[in-house]
Amino acid sequence: MKNIAFICLGNICRSPLAEGLARAAAVAAGLDVRFDSAGTGNWHVGRPPDPRAVAVAARHGVDIARLRARQVRPEDFQRFDLLLCADRDNLGALARLRPRDAVAEVGLLLDWAGVEAGGEVPDPYYGDDEEFLAVFDLLSRAARALIERIAEDSAATGRR
Ligand code: 4NP
């Protein structure tokens, strides 16, 4: 797993937070994995993350201010090994977009990270700062668990 993209609806709250957190966790673990994020919707394309997401990340030493929203494209199914969705709506949207020659594995982030089977990252967009903090904490756990899983998988592959 070398190229991973996080997917949510707007690409301004959950997935840019996941991207920033996963990148930080990978650097801390010395893992060479590239991360990106995208939204299934196009309303916020070109915009920076939601100021509430930028603020909660900054308070915890993670800088996501320079990220810019983009929409998922068919090429993402070739460019990435893994597309990790925040919720089931995102998963459904990707199933509709998936080209025949797709190579990317697609799954729910919390599932894949082993944080919560079948779990979804709640959309904080219409919530308050407290909800952004709860989402940050959840994504922080997910990012660390994801990096641990990738590190274990690559160690196991190395031993084979
Ligand atoms: P995200 O949050 O999917 O976590 O980026 C949202 C951002 C914007 C909207 C919905 C969710 N929106 O409806 O504009």
Side-chain angles (χ1 to χ4, degrees):
M1 291 296 170
K2 288 289 176 192
N3 287 291
I4 298 175
F6 298 100
I7 309 297
C8 65
L9 179 59
N11 193 209
I12 56 167
C13 302
R14 293 165 293 176
S15 62
L17 280 171
E19 178 184 348
L21 282 161
R23 191 169 285 135
V27 167
L31 268 193
D32 177 26
V33 184
R34 275 166 294 281
F35 297 99
D36 193 6
S37 63
T40 59
N42 66 358
W43 309 285
H44 304 281
V45 168
R47 304 255 177 81
D50 187 288
R52 297 165 296 177
V54 173
V56 73
R59 278 205 305 279
H60 294 83
V62 179
D63 181 10
I64 61 166
R66 277 179 290 275
L67 300 180
R68 292 295 178 266
R70 72 172 182 89
Q71 192 172 22
V72 179
R73 336 178 237 273
E75 306 89 83
D76 291 329
F77 289 87
Q78 266 88 34
R79 284 179 51 215
F80 294 97
D81 304 306
L82 184 58
L83 301 174
L84 288 177
C85 296
D87 64 33
R88 263 186 204 82
D89 284 346
N90 312 145
L91 212 50
L94 288 195
R96 290 187 289 277
L97 270 175
R98 185 179 180 88
R100 258 177 220 281
D101 54 352
V103 293
E105 223 181 291
V106 176
L108 280 174
L109 167 60
L110 297 184
D111 235 358
W112 221 89
V115 164
E116 192 189 320
E120 301 182 296
V121 183
D123 182 352
Y125 188 63
Y126 293 103
D128 54 17
D129 288 345
E130 219 166 288
E131 281 170 63
F132 272 84
L133 179 59
V135 163
F136 180 88
D137 285 339
L138 181 60
L139 289 172
S140 179
R141 283 198 291 134
R144 275 179 277 129
L146 175 67
I147 295 306
E148 262 170 48
R149 175 171 173 184
I150 296 169
E152 280 164 17
D153 288 354
S154 62
T157 307
R159 281 196 296 272
R160 265 189 228 123

